[in-house]
Every structure is written in C-alpha cells, then in structure tokens.
Amino acid sequence: GQQVMQIPQYQHVQEGEDFTTYCNSSTTLSNIQWYKQRPGGHPVFLIQLVKSGEVKKQKRLTFQFGEAKKNSSLHITATQTTDVGTYFCAGNYGGSQGNLIFGKGTKLSVKP
Amino acid sequence: GAVVSQHPSRVICKSGTSVKIECRSLDFQATTMFWYRQFPKQSLMLMATSNEGSKATYEQGVEKDKFLINHASLTLSTLTVTSAHPEDSSFYICSARDQGYGYTFGSGTRLTVV
C-alpha cells in the first residue's frame, strides 16, 4: 500500500547547527505537507508542496519537493531551541479529496 | 485562521464504559473530518474519515462498532469509544481541511482506560 518513509527517526543537534529530515514515497505523490508537533501538543501545518521540484522557504526553514514528486525534505538552518519537536511529512496521493499518509516523524532535540 | 476545537483534552474512564470525543470546526464548515490515533512516540494513524450526513469510512483494521463516528452537522464530528478497554488508551486527534491547503488539527484527547 501507499507508504511514506521518513528519516531519521531522531536527530540531536547543538544549537546553531543545521538539521534536515527526509521523506520518500514509492509512488508519485499529488502533494506533500509538513507538520510540526511540539512535545505534548498537536500537529501544526507548516506548508504544502505541489509542484515538481518546488522549493519554498519560511525564514530558516527550506522545503523541497523532488522532481519525480516522490521525495521531499525539510532543512532548518542554524537551529534554535524553539525548533524542538517532531516534524512530520504527510503525503497526499489522491488530489484534493485524498487522505494524508503520515511519515513516522523526525524528533528533533536541540542542545543549547 | 482556521480553528478546530476538540474536547475533552483528557479523560480517564473505567474499563467497559464508553467515552465520547467531540471535534468542532469553529470558523469554517468541514464536510469531512478525520480521526487519528497516535501511540506514544509514533506517527498519526488514520482511523476513519467522517463525512457530514453519511456513514464514516473506516481504515482497514479499525472496528467500526467500537469506534462510532457521527458527523451530524458541518461543524461537528464525534468519536465514541464504546466498551473501552485499557488497550484503547491512546491519544486521539481529529482534523479538518480548512479553506487553505493544510489540515487543521484539534488539540487532541488523551484517553486513559483503567
């Protein structure tokens, strides 16, 4: 079935270091979304990527969608302690009416 | 922005009893809402898709008679965990698609069955 693989599962960085999490699907995605879940909280929508090769930036966060629309990455430059949390990618295979398939998430911890 | 309100945030119930969880879209209409279950340190697993005015669509392996979903209006979906058992203890989260691209999540319900 449809599955979204996300790595790494955990990432520990020193404040100021960069961080990247990757998602991969075996089949082509309609779009991919990224969410952040703080400890004890609920997922919060960050961004959606739709176009092949799309790159979007939100301050220190850079999101990429692969040319084949099968993989995506989230890169954080110069991490801060406020970046702590679990980052989930969620693939959409069925267009606007499709459901999201979540990756397992990458838990980021930042040491001050 | 879009807000989804979920109640209760925490509930402790005795084994064998039923628990109802409410999910409301506060400033938009949601013809479709989604119910997820999240185990500790794991990802969100879609349980069912709640459709306003019709029966919910359940994912494979989810017991529809145990997890009753009702979506009677465009702003309210409820999930009832019937005859709860300790293995049903989990974090349940609802979401709805807002008018933008993303899905807005409720704050979740931590269910503990004792």
Side-chain angles (χ1 to χ4, degrees):
Chain A
Q2 294 157 342
Q3 196 172 10
V4 175
M5 305 298 294
Q6 186 173 359
I7 59 169
Q9 189 174 359
Y10 301 96
Q11 186 76 58
H12 310 281
V13 300
Q14 192 77 34
E15 188 172 23
E17 293 181 339
D18 293 355
F19 159 76
T20 306
T21 173
Y22 302 89
C23 279
N24 185 67
S25 168
S26 58
T27 56
T28 302
L29 295 162
S30 175
N31 60 67
I32 193 162
Q33 301 180 2
W34 286 91
Y35 292 80
K36 177 182 179 181
Q37 184 175 22
R38 294 182 182 274
H42 59 278
V44 174
F45 174 77
L46 294 177
I47 208 162
Q48 173 174 281
L49 303 173
V50 179
K51 299 178 182 177
S52 169
E54 189 170 16
V55 178
K56 288 188 177 180
K57 291 189 176 184
Q58 290 180 350
K59 298 183 180 179
R60 294 179 293 103
L61 278 61
T62 302
F63 304 84
Q64 292 187 321
F65 202 11
E67 293 290 340
K69 298 184 69 173
K70 290 182 177 181
N71 55 73
S72 181
S73 65
L74 158 59
H75 179 82
I76 302 178
T77 304
T79 55
Q80 300 175 359
T81 54
T82 53
D83 295 325
V84 165
T86 300
Y87 293 85
F88 291 98
C89 62
N92 191 328
Y93 294 89
S96 61
Q97 299 303 317
N99 298 334
L100 296 179
I101 306 295
F102 280 81
K104 291 188 179 295
T106 297
K107 185 175 182 180
L108 172 66
S109 62
V110 179
K111 188 176 181 180
Chain B
V3 177
V4 173
S5 175
Q6 184 173 344
H7 293 281
S9 58
R10 291 178 182 272
V11 58
I12 300 173
C13 71
K14 291 185 178 180
S15 187
T17 61
S18 296
V19 174
K20 179 184 283 189
I21 303 170
E22 291 189 350
C23 182
R24 295 180 183 271
S25 57
L26 296 187
D27 50 1
F28 66 101
Q29 293 182 333
T31 55
T32 303
M33 290 187 177
F34 304 90
W35 287 95
Y36 293 86
R37 183 173 180 176
Q38 187 176 32
F39 292 98
K41 300 181 181 180
Q42 294 193 27
S43 187
L44 294 91
M45 293 182 57
L46 180 66
M47 298 175 63
T49 301
S50 171
N51 304 299
E52 187 267 334
S54 64
K55 292 182 179 180
T57 304
Y58 289 83
E59 295 300 299
Q60 191 173 7
V62 178
E63 299 176 61
K64 61 180 181 180
D65 294 330
K66 181 168 187 61
F67 299 99
L68 300 179
I69 291 174
N70 184 281
H71 195 153
S73 76
L74 288 171
T75 59
L76 174 65
S77 176
T78 61
L79 167 67
T80 302
V81 183
T82 62
S83 187
H85 291 283
E87 57 265 31
D88 298 326
S89 298
S90 192
F91 192 54
Y92 295 87
I93 314 177
C94 66
S95 76
R97 182 165 181 180
D98 57 38
Q99 295 176 355
Y101 295 119
Y103 290 68
T104 300
F105 283 80
S107 55
T109 298
R110 176 76 58 193
L111 170 63
T112 303
V113 184
V114 298

